[in-house]
Amino acid sequence: MPVADLAVALLVGLALGTVLGLLGGGGGILAIPAFVHVLGMPVDQASTTSLLVVAIGAAAGLVPHAIAGRVAWRIGLLFGAFGILGSVVGARLAIIADDRLQLAGLIALIF
């Protein structure tokens, strides 16, 4: 990867991490368009990569909030369990869905 591309990728990562740290979420909505349009990834690869990036960022952001006692563990684990179910269904649908349809759905969620 050329140095300029690496620098852009690092800046995108820093921006996503900052949003995750500040808001606890939203990084996935920002990650996919950034990966597709800034880093040139295909939609399927961008959406899958965003899952990894958001998971790592969320885990890192969880630590200071947990230490400060700002985590509702029961609610978080319940939502997380249903989120896992939804993620599995979504991943299966992503395999058969057209890239344009996936991006249109993302745009609809943003607005």
Side-chain angles (χ1 to χ4, degrees):
M1 177 179 275
V3 175
D5 290 346
L6 181 60
V8 170
L10 292 174
L11 288 173
V12 168
L14 179 63
L16 295 174
T18 302
V19 170
L20 281 169
L22 284 170
L23 304 175
I29 289 177
L30 297 174
I32 295 170
F35 290 158
V36 170
H37 298 293
V38 178
L39 301 180
M41 286 184 181
V43 173
D44 291 337
Q45 186 179 17
S47 62
T48 306
T49 302
S50 77
L51 293 173
L52 177 63
V53 169
V54 170
I56 292 169
L62 173 66
V63 173
H65 290 293
I67 291 170
R70 294 187 299 260
V71 177
W73 289 101
R74 186 170 164 215
I75 294 170
L77 291 171
L78 181 64
F79 270 75
F82 280 92
I84 289 170
L85 178 62
S87 292
V88 170
V89 171
R92 303 265 184 203
L93 291 173
I95 294 169
I96 60 172
D98 183 77
D99 287 354
R100 292 172 293 178
L101 179 63
Q102 290 181 49
L103 288 177
L106 178 64
I107 291 167
L109 282 174
I110 292 172
F111 294 109

